Amino acid sequence: MLDNQAEATPDRRPAIVICAYDTAETGWDPVEDLSGIAWNPQGARTVPVNGADPETLALTLENHLRDRNCRALLLVGRTLQGDSFRVQMRAENRLSDGTGRQDDTGPGLARATAPVAEIVRALNEAGLAASASSESEADAGSYLLYRILSSLPDGTDSPAIGLLRAPAASSDASVQRGVKAAAATMARHLSPLPRRHLY
């Protein structure tokens, strides 16, 4: 009887969408063991989104963020710039190949809303060399970061949105450790969802 009640109770933890946007990425696997249950940081639940072409992914991620229970988005990709993890602080108004503007009327830059400094600190504490960077890279990650940030409606409580880049040569285990450190840090900043009262 208790199990049935537990199953019927909605999960009131805020959601963090984690998206490894490159279809060839193998480093981030949300399912840790044979249980088939995705990893979740304390106080939040993860919603994994698989890689796809940038336009399809942008629409999928925008739809997730329209859900008021979704309070954060962590994009996960690779960097060719150096051998440490990078947390990208901003994205330029560019197409995914780096040419031209993706939005003729949009601002030139969009700034990440995730707690960048704390994520970098958490990565370092997890034994991973990491830094914050203002430099965009001409790829789907920068395209998605700008697209998602610039599509947020005005006057709302903005979700935490960030882009974590792992070094190109990082092992899957290192990527897993980095994603968990970043997502757990973001989760600490999320407010609990309001309780629903039945009358």
Side-chain angles (χ1 to χ4, degrees):
M1 189 72 164
L2 291 175
D3 288 342
N4 290 338
Q5 287 178 343
E7 290 175 8
T9 303
D11 192 334
R12 302 304 302 151
R13 294 174 296 170
I16 299 178
V17 172
I18 301 179
C19 175
Y21 50 83
D22 188 340
T23 56
E25 179 59 63
T26 61
W28 169 243
D29 182 357
V31 178
E32 295 186 286
D33 52 38
L34 298 177
S35 69
I37 298 172
W39 170 83
N40 295 298
Q42 184 173 352
R45 62 186 172 87
T46 55
V47 178
V49 173
N50 294 328
D53 68 89
E55 186 63 28
T56 299
L57 262 186
L59 294 173
T60 299
L61 297 173
E62 287 168 356
N63 283 335
H64 277 292
L65 289 169
R66 287 189 189 99
D67 180 348
R68 294 180 61 102
N69 295 337
C70 181
R71 302 303 305 138
L73 165 64
L74 179 62
L75 297 166
V76 179
R78 298 280 178 161
T79 180
L80 300 176
Q81 299 181 9
D83 56 0
S84 64
F85 281 75
R86 296 176 64 232
V87 183
Q88 189 168 316
M89 295 191 295
R90 65 183 191 175
E92 297 177 2
N93 184 353
R94 294 278 179 227
L95 297 171
S96 59
D97 62 2
T99 64
R101 293 169 66 94
Q102 63 170 284
D103 184 346
D104 289 335
T105 60
L109 292 171
R111 296 192 179 279
T113 55
V116 172
E118 291 182 48
I119 291 172
V120 170
R121 189 162 45 250
L123 291 165
N124 289 327
E125 289 171 358
L128 302 168
S131 63
S133 175
S134 295
E135 293 184 26
S136 291
E137 297 188 30
D139 67 358
S142 293
Y143 171 85
L144 289 168
L145 183 62
Y146 180 89
R147 168 87 180 257
I148 298 300
L149 289 168
S150 63
S151 71
L152 293 175
D154 292 331
T156 62
D157 181 21
S158 294
I161 298 173
L163 169 53
L164 175 67
R165 294 182 178 276
S170 281
S171 67
D172 288 358
S174 292
V175 175
Q176 294 271 0
R177 212 158 73 242
V179 171
K180 289 179 180 181
T185 301
M186 293 170 78
R188 287 196 292 273
H189 286 263
L190 303 182
S191 302
L193 298 177
R195 294 184 181 275
R196 291 183 178 159
H197 298 285
L198 299 176
Y199 296 102

